[in-house]
Amino acid sequence: MASSVPLNVNGRAAAVEVDDPDMPLLYALRDNLGLHGPRFGCGLGQCGSCTVHIDGEAVRSCITPLSSVAPGQRIVTLEGLGSPENPHRLQKAFMDEQAVQCGYCINGMIMQAAAFLAKSPRPTEAEIKEALANNICRCGTHVRILRAVKRASGTA
């Protein structure tokens, strides 16, 4: 039997109809709400492609059960971070540094970096590397990604 799960996504109230309240948050965001920023990568919370913010914290939505999101918690996806007309400073920096090759990891890199910069606005290069260490990029754009985060933090 389907049940309605209320969510606050990108500043808007939403409700998803689900048969299994323990399904991954990622599926609700992509399949029910049509958001394509968070991506399915490994399904184990190891690569970071599915990263979203819940109340400002970076979380892996592929391993976060929908039932663990409390009513009123604020979920932010890449789409809610900025817009094409007004991109978040990290989105702009990633574009300026051409930090995308295949683009699969970029959601996770940007979302992880945004949560990190909110807590550490002027990090060192070593701190940035540590903050992004658990996000996987197979294309090898790590140097450009690092430059983009440094640019967004004003430390470049």
Side-chain angles (χ1 to χ4, degrees):
M1 181 170 164
S3 63
S4 181
V5 177
L7 298 172
N8 178 336
V9 181
N10 297 331
R12 294 190 176 110
V16 295
E17 295 294 323
V18 297
D19 291 326
D20 180 6
D22 287 329
M23 75 181 223
L25 173 61
L26 175 64
Y27 297 172
L29 296 172
R30 288 186 63 84
D31 300 342
N32 296 74
L33 299 178
L35 298 168
H36 299 290
R39 299 172 187 233
F40 182 88
C42 65
L44 302 170
Q46 296 174 349
C47 73
S49 293
C50 67
T51 303
V52 299
H53 295 171
I54 298 180
D55 289 342
E57 296 293 323
V59 299
R60 305 296 168 98
S61 64
C62 74
I63 58 169
T64 301
L66 188 57
S67 62
S68 73
V69 181
Q73 283 190 299
R74 295 170 293 114
I75 301 167
V76 177
T77 68
L78 187 64
E79 294 91 345
L81 202 58
S83 68
E85 302 80 27
N86 188 24
H88 183 276
R89 63 186 172 150
L90 272 165
Q91 292 168 319
K92 176 137 179 36
F94 271 68
M95 289 184 279
D96 291 345
E97 292 294 338
Q98 298 181 11
V100 177
Q101 190 164 323
C102 85
Y104 213 83
C105 72
I106 295 305
N107 173 76
M109 293 290 188
I110 290 174
M111 296 305 288
Q112 186 70 41
F116 169 67
L117 289 179
K119 293 179 180 161
S120 301
R122 308 260 320 149
T124 65
E125 185 170 321
E127 290 170 330
I128 295 169
K129 287 179 179 179
E130 183 179 333
L132 298 178
N134 291 324
N135 289 73
I136 297 171
C137 171
R138 293 182 150 198
C139 298
T141 60
H142 292 89
V143 172
R144 289 188 226 157
I145 290 168
L146 181 59
R147 280 197 317 248
V149 176
K150 288 170 72 175
R151 178 187 285 246
S153 71
T155 61

